[in-house]
């Protein structure tokens, strides 16, 4: 799944990110790509990179990976459900 948060205020982006993580996990889509931009999107990028609260609120998260080829994008990998 991919979401585009260009020009989205951080407070709203946090809600969208949390909902998207839940939706991905429910739909067995274990990768969430967040497009935040690299100029105005730096507050979202910093939140994703440094937020322990994000990981505490979403135990489904395996890792948060900044895209090395595109600094305006971050990838969240989710834990695969085991049955």
């Amino acid at each position: 799944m991919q979401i585009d948060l260009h020009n989205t205020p951080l407070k709203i982006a946090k809600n969208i990110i949390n909902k998207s993580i839940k939706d991905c996990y429910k739909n067995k889509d274990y990768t969430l790509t967040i497009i935040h931009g690299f100029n105005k999107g730096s507050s979202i990028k910093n939140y994703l990179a440094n937020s322990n609260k994000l990981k505490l609120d979403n135990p489904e998260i395996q890792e948060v990976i900044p895209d090395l080829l595109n600094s305006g994008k971050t990838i969240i990998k989710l834990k695969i459900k085991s049955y």
Side-chain angles (χ1 to χ4, degrees):
M1 177 181 197
Q2 178 173 295
I3 56 174
D4 187 340
L5 298 176
H6 275 103
N7 300 316
T8 304
L10 181 58
K11 184 175 182 177
I12 294 170
K14 288 178 183 181
N15 291 331
I16 294 170
I17 292 166
N18 284 318
K19 183 183 179 320
S20 297
I21 289 169
K22 302 292 186 214
D23 289 346
C24 280
Y25 201 67
K26 182 176 74 174
N27 295 324
K28 298 178 184 171
D29 184 357
Y30 301 111
T31 302
L32 174 62
T33 302
I34 301 169
I35 300 170
H36 44 69
F38 59 90
N39 286 330
K40 292 182 180 179
S42 62
S43 62
I44 296 171
K45 178 180 178 177
N46 292 338
Y47 167 73
L48 292 169
N50 301 311
S51 179
N52 289 328
K53 181 160 175 34
L54 176 67
K55 293 176 186 173
L56 288 173
D57 289 345
N58 298 283
E60 305 89 357
I61 294 176
Q62 180 174 340
E63 62 183 323
V64 178
I65 309 163
D67 190 317
L68 299 177
L69 299 177
N70 181 347
S71 62
K73 190 163 63 168
T74 299
I75 300 164
I76 295 179
K77 295 284 186 180
L78 303 176
K79 297 174 186 171
I80 296 175
K81 286 183 182 180
S82 59
Y83 295 94

